[in-house]
């Protein structure tokens, strides 16, 4: 069982930056971790246990996902933020080794953190 807690959201002006954190309890290092946003769980980025990263086209070049297994934490560095990035951001985890960007393939979810980008 993994429990996830997101933090780092807030209000920022367009062009600004935020770093989201996803702190996990339980066995974490072998899990794939994904970031999603909005109620529709739009895929944002994911990272597997070996550090392979995949990004949605809408955030590629602006967002960076990373993980620190020693701290049981995954980060989402968000730069050059746009108003359309405004959303509730969720991190999610799953034990499967099969790559997936589908929210249905992730078993564990955090409560979400609000990101608001003003124009």
């Amino acid at each position: 069982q993994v429990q996830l807690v997101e933090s780092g959201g807030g209000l920022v002006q367009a062009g600004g930056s935020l770093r989201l954190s996803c702190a996990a309890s339980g066995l974490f290092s072998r899990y794939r971790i994904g970031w999603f946003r909005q109620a529709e769980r739009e895929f944002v980025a994911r990272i597997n246990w070996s550090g392979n990263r995949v990004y949605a086209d809408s955030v590629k070049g602006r967002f960076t996902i990373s993980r620190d297994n020693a701290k049981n934490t995954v980060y989402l560095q968000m730069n050059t933020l746009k108003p359309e990035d405004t959303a509730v951001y969720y991190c999610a985890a799953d034990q499967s080794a099969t790559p997936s960007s589908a929210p249905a393939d992730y078993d564990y979810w955090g409560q979400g953190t609000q990101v608001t980008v003003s124009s």
Side-chain angles (χ1 to χ4, degrees), residues 1-4 31 34 91-95 103 105-110:
Q1 186 83 14
V2 173
Q3 294 182 327
L4 306 171
Y31 281 61
C91 69
D94 193 81
Q95 290 179 286
D105 291 335
Y106 289 76
D107 288 335
Y108 306 103
W109 290 81

Side-chain angles (χ1 to χ4, degrees), residues 4-27:
L4 306 171
V5 178
E6 303 96 333
S7 61
L11 174 63
V12 64
Q13 289 188 330
S17 298
L18 282 174
R19 188 176 80 158
L20 306 184
S21 298
C22 174
S25 64
L27 189 60

Side-chain angles (χ1 to χ4, degrees), residues 20-70:
L20 306 184
S21 298
C22 174
S25 64
L27 189 60
F28 172 80
S29 63
R30 305 293 290 189
Y31 281 61
R32 66 178 179 206
I33 305 295
W35 283 97
F36 299 81
R37 62 187 181 187
Q38 292 290 49
E40 297 80 16
R41 302 294 199 264
E42 174 193 4
F43 169 72
V44 175
R46 60 179 167 87
I47 187 167
N48 72 354
W49 64 272
S50 65
N52 290 330
R53 302 170 175 86
V54 176
Y55 299 94
D57 289 343
S58 59
V59 306
K60 202 171 294 184
R62 300 187 298 122
F63 290 11
T64 302
I65 188 171
S66 61
R67 68 190 297 164
D68 185 338
N69 288 335

